Amino acid sequence: PKTDIVFLKVHKSASSTVMNILFRFGETHNLTFAFPSGGGNQLFYPRHFLASFVQGFSPWSPQQFNILCHHMRFLQPEVQKVVSSSAVYFSILRNPVQLMESSFVYYKGTSAFSRARSLEEFLSQPYHYYNPANSDSHYAKNLMTFDFGFNPNGEVSAERVQLMLKAIEAYFDLLLISEYFDESMVLLKEMLCWDLDSVVSFPLNIRDSSTKSPLPDTIVEKIKDWNRLDWEIYIYFNRTFWERIDRDIGRERMQQEVKALRDRQAELARTCLQGTGSVAPEDIKDSSLRPLQHGNAKILGYNLKQDLHKEMEHMCRRLVTPELQYSNILYKKQFAHRQP
């Protein structure tokens, strides 16, 4: 199994669920994480990543970490300084239409979104609300482009798009697609030579459907135009994603693998969870399992069954521990010797 990994955590793209998978694998195999200095949950985002942002990194005695997965704005030469040269790089993309709809709810407090009553209103005259000079403007336009380290306000010429796609392709070994999450996990498992249980997960940091609404076609087209660079990235890598499946696995075997993954997930859900799955934040009984609530989104969580035997309880708890709490646990564990 591969243990040196860089995961570019793209906002609002099922990346918290992927992070849980990496946290569990790292904890099980005693791997080191490149934590944000001071133990925060972002690597000084939205600044471009610097090796000096990582707790314990020093240019004089460069230490390499196994897993780099906290939110960052990608900058490859700096990332290289903190991981092994053989590290596997991957990220996850989401359809920019759903991404924008999600961002509008989740980042409602940002300068671009706070004054618009609805996404429609924002898109009817975006430059009335959006100012690229604002420090939080990246949440409102080409967010994936920004996370990958590029200029979200750059011109959309064929040449520029090609350069961007080629750069992403050069740096990353795999780009997952959140709409095909299970297929993505199968590809990830194959690439990392991991077993099935390592990529099983329960969806984390997901919104209650009461805050979601279907988008009319006119809005969909406006979102694509407004996020044209994101759209180009998504279309291109969605295509290469399926080409890779056809080349490396084949559709038939992929179906079998996905079924095995879903069956195992269902089995763990029956073993671990009370009720049928995720619950509203106010219904989560154990406060340590309550996810951070953000913007106008209502983030769901889970209740564990009582009376699980010790090992099972530990496994189930890790599957449903929200990102911030889990990151905290691992940070304390990794730097235990430094605590007074």
Side-chain angles (χ1 to χ4, degrees), residues 3 21-22 24 36 46 62 73 82 100 110 112 117 130 135 171 177-178 216 225 227 242 288 312 325:
T3 53
I21 287 169
L22 295 174
R24 284 176 5 235
R73 188 173 184 205
V82 297
M100 175 116 200
T110 58
R117 279 174 305 201
Y130 175 80
S135 61
Y171 294 141
I177 304 287
S178 64
D225 283 342
N227 297 284
W242 290 101
S288 70
M312 202 68 212
Q325 287 94 309

Side-chain angles (χ1 to χ4, degrees), residues 10-273:
V10 170
H11 286 78
K12 312 304 328 136
S13 304
S15 53
S16 295
T17 310
V18 177
M19 207 161 169
N20 177 272
I21 287 169
L22 295 174
F23 279 168
R24 284 176 5 235
F25 187 86
E27 184 180 26
T28 307
H29 295 83
N30 250 336
L31 304 178
T32 56
F33 290 87
F35 281 107
S37 177
N41 61 313
Q42 300 195 341
L43 289 151
F44 297 84
Y45 187 86
R47 289 166 62 188
H48 270 109
F49 177 80
L50 294 175
S52 58
F53 294 166
V54 174
Q55 173 100 33
F57 175 81
S58 143
W60 297 280
S61 56
Q63 183 197 346
Q64 292 183 331
F65 299 86
N66 297 118
I67 300 178
L68 174 61
C69 63
H70 286 73
H71 269 310
M72 64 171 157
R73 188 173 184 205
F74 190 70
L75 187 60
Q76 212 265 347
E78 289 292 315
V79 168
Q80 268 182 319
K81 295 176 184 176
V82 297
V83 293
S84 127
S85 57
S86 61
V88 176
Y89 286 66
F90 77 100
S91 186
I92 188 164
L93 304 173
R94 184 182 184 186
N95 184 319
V97 175
Q98 277 72 49
L99 180 70
M100 175 116 200
E101 189 273 333
S102 179
S103 297
F104 185 80
V105 175
Y106 202 81
Y107 301 116
K108 190 70 182 81
T110 58
S111 56
F113 291 151
S114 59
R115 290 178 300 121
R117 279 174 305 201
S118 65
L119 187 51
E120 279 96 316
E121 189 176 294
F122 174 83
L123 290 161
S124 66
Q125 39 176 355
Y127 283 105
H128 175 69
Y129 303 103
Y130 175 80
N131 177 357
N134 288 343
S135 61
D136 60 1
S137 66
H138 55 279
Y139 290 117
K141 184 175 190 176
N142 289 316
L143 181 51
M144 294 194 290
T145 302
F146 183 87
D147 286 353
F148 275 96
F150 303 102
N151 175 8
N153 297 294
E155 54 150 354
V156 189
S157 64
E159 187 186 14
R160 192 165 175 278
V161 166
Q162 274 316 105
L163 284 170
M164 185 171 70
L165 296 175
K166 288 284 165 269
I168 295 172
E169 214 159 26
Y171 294 141
F172 287 86
D173 300 292
L174 177 63
L175 285 149
L176 308 174
I177 304 287
S178 64
E179 283 78 15
Y180 304 104
F181 192 79
D182 293 342
E183 289 84 352
S184 291
M185 290 306 101
V186 173
L187 279 182
L188 186 65
K189 169 173 86 77
E190 298 277 310
M191 181 178 74
L192 297 174
C193 307
W194 288 7
D195 63 10
L196 182 67
D197 269 11
S198 295
V199 297
V200 167
S201 63
F202 296 144
L204 295 175
N205 204 25
I206 50 167
R207 262 198 302 158
D208 180 30
S209 54
S210 68
T211 59
K212 298 178 189 175
S213 46
L215 300 167
D217 292 350
T218 48
I219 297 295
V220 168
E221 290 312 312
K222 280 182 177 171
I223 293 177
K224 286 183 196 172
D225 283 342
W226 177 246
N227 297 284
R228 180 53 59 187
L229 293 171
D230 273 10
W231 185 248
E232 295 288 348
I233 291 175
Y234 181 76
I235 288 302
Y236 181 80
F237 288 107
N238 185 32
R239 196 183 76 233
T240 60
F241 177 84
W242 290 101
E243 285 169 359
R244 184 171 187 144
I245 287 174
D246 290 336
R247 187 186 70 226
D248 296 351
I249 295 185
R251 300 281 170 119
E252 197 177 327
R253 189 178 139 225
M254 178 53 92
Q255 275 184 330
Q256 294 162 357
E257 293 271 355
V258 165
K259 185 182 183 309
L261 180 66
R262 287 177 182 163
D263 288 349
R264 180 64 179 134
Q265 232 148 279
E267 185 189 343
L268 280 169
R270 285 192 297 272
T271 305
C272 296
L273 304 178

